């Protein structure tokens, strides 16, 4: 496993209301940091074998499930040796300080999302090691036709209290699918929705056995395993239940070296986050994005999009 550079804990890149453990130390000036309230939502765990969210055992969501489309989770997408080589290459390049205890490396154009303007800047393409990753994505149906035009590497570390708050990725420039490679340690991707609309929870008609009990075990246990066992249907006394989206959260457990794809509702309806408590060691996430329809064939910015894409898939890039 790659080591953390010596200067990793020297400074903080947080701005505004965001914070990490460095700027939360006692005695520092109060700048109105974001206060995180205790999690009060009904908790579910994503089951990739069936594409559903299943209630966590011994909580009020225990015994319920609902469909959770728009997620493709691919375990062991890279080998241990490939992981080590990629991290070593990243660590030879500069990591820039970012919000909430993270560091980053960007491979993409210079973008002002608020004003919806972009410049090529110093964009020279995606890094060379990503070419083999792109080729490996092609056989998966969820990644059919995926053309990566931007890559962002994020470096998380438990010593800094690294995290990322619930958010939607931009949809003006970036397209349908968000593709993330999880390196160095496992973590949990937390999905939340702020909608006041209600939806239906279905009773989990399941005979729990030793072989499938992990589906609805507590989250800490599920964090340490792959949840792939499908559930079966038998009689049960539970009734359907309608709840607001805003009262529910879904945990997607990401094993080390796994690849996750978010699209559809998981991309546009549910915000995603990485909570501080699920960063146990150093973690690197490589996120790849594709162009939106506006920058694709037939779109208003087709020519600019084509130019960006040709630069990106040259795979000769340096971080900007």
């Amino acid at each position: 496993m790659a080591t953390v550079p010596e200067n990793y804990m020297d400074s903080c890149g947080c701005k505004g209301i965001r914070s990490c453990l460095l700027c939360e130390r006692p005695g520092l000036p109060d700048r109105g940091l974001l206060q995180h309230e205790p999690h009060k939502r009904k908790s579910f765990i994503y089951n990739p074998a069936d594409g559903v969210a299943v209630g966590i055992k011994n909580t009020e969501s225990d015994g319920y499930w609902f469909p959770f489309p728009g997620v493709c989770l691919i375990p062991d997408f890279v080998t241990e040796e490939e992981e080590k080589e990629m991290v070593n290459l990243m660590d030879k390049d500069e990591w820039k300080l970012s919000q909430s205890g993270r560091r980053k490396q960007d491979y993409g154009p210079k973008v002002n999302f608020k004003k919806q303007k972009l410049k090529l800047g110093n964009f020279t393409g995606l890094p060379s090691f990503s070419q083999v990753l792109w080729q490996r994505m092609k056989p998966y149906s969820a990644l059919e036709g995926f053309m990566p035009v931007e890559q962002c590497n994020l470096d998380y570390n438990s010593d800094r209290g690294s995290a990322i708050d619930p958010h939607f990725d931009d949809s003006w420039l970036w397209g349908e699918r968000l593709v993330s490679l999880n390196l160095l340690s496992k973590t949990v991707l937390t999905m939340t929705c702020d909608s006041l609309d209600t939806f239906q929870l279905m009773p989990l008609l399941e005979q729990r056995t030793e072989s499938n009990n992990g589906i609805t075990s507590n989250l800490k246990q599920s964090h340490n395993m792959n949840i792939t066992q499908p559930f079966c249907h038998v009689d049960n006394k539970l009734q359907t239940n309608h709840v607001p989206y805003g009262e529910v959260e879904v945990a997607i457990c990401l094993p080390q070296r796994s690849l996750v794809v978010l699209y559809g509702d998981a991309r546009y309806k549910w915000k995603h986050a990485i909570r501080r408590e699920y960063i146990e060691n150093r973690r690197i996430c490589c996120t790849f994005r594709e162009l939106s329809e506006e920058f694709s064939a037939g779109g208003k910015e087709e020519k600019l999009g084509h130019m960006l894409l040709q630069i990106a898939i040259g795979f000769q890039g340096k971080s900007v």
Side-chain angles (χ1 to χ4, degrees):
M1 182 178 293
T3 58
V4 179
E6 292 182 0
N7 64 348
Y8 188 66
M9 293 291 292
D10 289 350
S11 54
C12 166
C14 299
K15 299 176 182 178
I17 60 175
R18 309 299 177 192
S19 67
C20 66
L21 291 180
L22 291 182
C23 54
E24 293 171 10
R25 289 174 295 185
L28 295 179
D30 182 7
R31 53 185 177 89
L33 299 179
L34 180 65
Q35 299 298 315
H36 294 279
E37 297 181 359
H39 312 308
K40 299 178 181 179
R41 299 175 186 249
K42 295 178 176 64
S43 297
F44 290 76
I45 300 177
Y46 178 70
N47 178 356
D50 295 284
V52 301
V54 184
I56 294 179
K57 189 175 180 181
N58 298 324
T59 71
E60 59 180 319
S61 60
D62 188 8
Y64 289 98
W65 69 276
F66 64 94
F68 197 80
V71 180
C72 175
L73 182 60
I74 306 170
D76 297 318
F77 189 75
V78 296
T79 66
E80 291 186 35
E81 285 301 313
E82 287 172 330
E83 175 186 48
K84 182 178 180 181
E85 181 179 357
M86 284 188 291
V87 173
N88 284 338
L89 287 172
M90 287 184 239
D91 283 342
K92 289 179 180 178
D93 205 348
E94 179 187 4
W95 286 100
K96 296 182 179 180
L97 293 174
S98 186
Q99 297 272 43
S100 302
R102 305 185 305 273
R103 299 188 304 166
K104 66 180 180 179
Q105 294 173 343
D106 286 321
Y107 297 85
K110 187 175 182 180
V111 186
N112 185 322
F113 291 108
K114 290 185 179 180
K115 296 182 178 180
Q116 294 192 345
K117 294 183 178 181
L118 68 85
K119 299 178 181 178
L120 286 180
N122 296 320
F123 180 41
T124 55
L126 304 191
S128 58
F129 66 81
S130 294
Q131 186 168 12
V132 66
L133 301 178
W134 178 45
Q135 295 297 331
R136 195 171 296 172
M137 294 176 191
K138 293 184 178 182
Y140 295 94
S141 58
L143 288 165
E144 182 179 358
F146 182 76
M147 301 288 287
V149 73
E150 190 257 7
Q151 178 176 337
C152 179
N153 302 332
L154 291 179
D155 184 5
Y156 296 73
N157 195 283
S158 56
D159 291 338
R160 299 178 66 95
S162 301
I164 192 165
D165 290 323
H167 67 283
F168 292 115
D169 276 36
D170 166 76
S171 57
W172 163 66
L173 178 59
W174 309 138
E176 171 82 9
R177 291 164 290 191
L178 304 177
V179 183
S180 295
L181 180 62
N182 187 57
L183 301 175
L184 294 183
S185 61
K186 63 185 182 296
T187 193
V188 173
L189 188 64
T190 300
M191 312 293 291
T192 55
C193 179
D194 297 332
S195 173
L196 298 178
D197 293 340
T198 63
F199 71 104
Q200 189 177 56
L201 298 180
M202 303 298 294
L204 182 62
L205 308 179
E206 171 187 42
Q207 291 281 11
R208 292 196 181 98
T209 66
E210 288 300 318
S211 63
N212 64 17
N213 191 43
I215 297 175
T216 51
S217 64
N218 67 67
L219 183 53
K220 283 293 185 181
Q221 291 174 349
S222 298
H223 186 203
N224 294 318
M225 62 183 297
N226 291 331
I227 306 172
T228 58
Q229 178 67 33
F231 57 85
C232 57
H233 300 277
V234 296
D235 290 337
N236 199 311
K237 296 180 180 179
L238 289 175
Q239 302 296 317
T240 58
N241 186 15
H242 286 80
V243 298
Y245 281 96
E247 293 184 3
V248 168
E249 66 181 25
V250 178
I252 303 176
C253 300
L254 303 181
Q256 184 177 348
R257 294 184 295 278
S258 65
L259 187 83
V260 64
V261 186
L262 301 182
Y263 57 94
D265 281 357
R267 160 78 160 100
Y268 297 113
K269 190 170 187 175
W270 295 80
K271 293 180 180 180
H272 55 278
I274 298 288
R275 290 179 179 159
R276 181 179 291 178
E277 58 261 39
Y278 297 124
I279 298 298
E280 299 177 349
N281 298 289
R282 190 184 184 196
R283 177 215 178 213
I284 289 178
C285 174
C286 302
T287 295
F288 303 87
R289 298 178 175 92
E290 62 185 345
L291 289 170
S292 66
E293 291 185 1
E294 183 172 341
F295 290 84
S296 300
K300 183 173 67 174
E301 298 290 350
E302 175 183 358
K303 290 184 179 180
L304 179 56
H306 179 74
M307 180 169 59
L308 289 173
L309 191 57
Q310 292 307 303
I311 295 173
I313 61 175
F315 295 102
Q316 300 295 320
K318 300 292 183 181
S319 61
V320 297

